[in-house]
Amino acid sequence: MKENKLLHRMAPIAHALMTGFQTDFTVHDTEFVRKTQAKQPFIWLVRELGTRLFPIQEPDNLRFALENIEIYARSYRNDFVLYYYDGHRLRPIVPATVRRMIQQDKERARTDSPEQP
């Protein structure tokens, strides 16, 4: 199953970095991946004291994720890692990647909207 393969990829990352709030991964993140059958893209933040998983189907979700990532960056002095799952592959990213994704969505929306007279 696709979701088991993804969870097997995520587990060593979570266990290597996390010292507390393990249920963030073992319950909440696992439940999301299984419920969506590993088909929904997300940004995953992993830190010593837990994880945050941000589903990103809509552009507003990307902005919400970036706002939270920036809060974590200030609060935890960048002591976390980020991953992006595109529905097929999990890969490490940096906050600037999320900013680029937001910009690409804005550009796509401009080109998709009909011309104004």
Side-chain angles (χ1 to χ4, degrees):
M1 296 184 136
K2 187 176 181 180
E3 58 265 26
N4 288 336
K5 187 175 179 181
L6 175 59
L7 290 169
H8 285 289
R9 179 106 198 299
M10 294 169 73
I13 297 165
H15 296 306
L17 297 172
M18 295 173 63
T19 59
F21 300 97
Q22 296 289 329
T23 56
D24 282 2
F25 174 71
T26 60
V27 175
H28 305 292
D29 299 348
T30 298
E31 180 182 316
F32 174 85
V33 169
R34 288 198 169 124
K35 187 169 77 172
T36 62
Q37 298 177 328
K39 293 178 183 174
Q40 184 171 341
F42 60 84
I43 293 173
W44 188 46
L45 182 147
V46 184
R47 63 188 194 286
E48 187 177 18
L49 295 176
T51 68
R52 280 293 307 265
L53 193 148
F54 303 98
I56 55 166
Q57 279 189 310
E58 304 294 326
D60 285 342
N61 298 97
L62 272 174
R63 286 186 283 281
F64 177 77
L66 181 60
E67 288 169 6
N68 279 269
I69 290 163
E70 289 173 341
I71 290 168
Y72 281 108
R74 287 190 300 274
S75 301
Y76 298 100
R77 295 181 210 69
N78 293 316
D79 196 18
F80 60 86
V81 294
L82 290 174
Y83 286 84
Y84 170 60
Y85 179 69
D86 63 4
H88 304 285
R89 192 177 78 144
L90 184 70
R91 62 185 173 88
I93 61 170
V94 295
T97 305
V98 182
R99 287 186 202 95
R100 279 193 302 275
M101 293 166 72
I102 291 169
Q103 187 60 37
Q104 289 169 347
D105 277 348
K106 285 180 184 177
E107 291 169 5
R108 194 174 308 115
R110 266 198 304 271
T111 60
D112 290 346
S113 65
E115 291 289 321
Q116 298 284 343

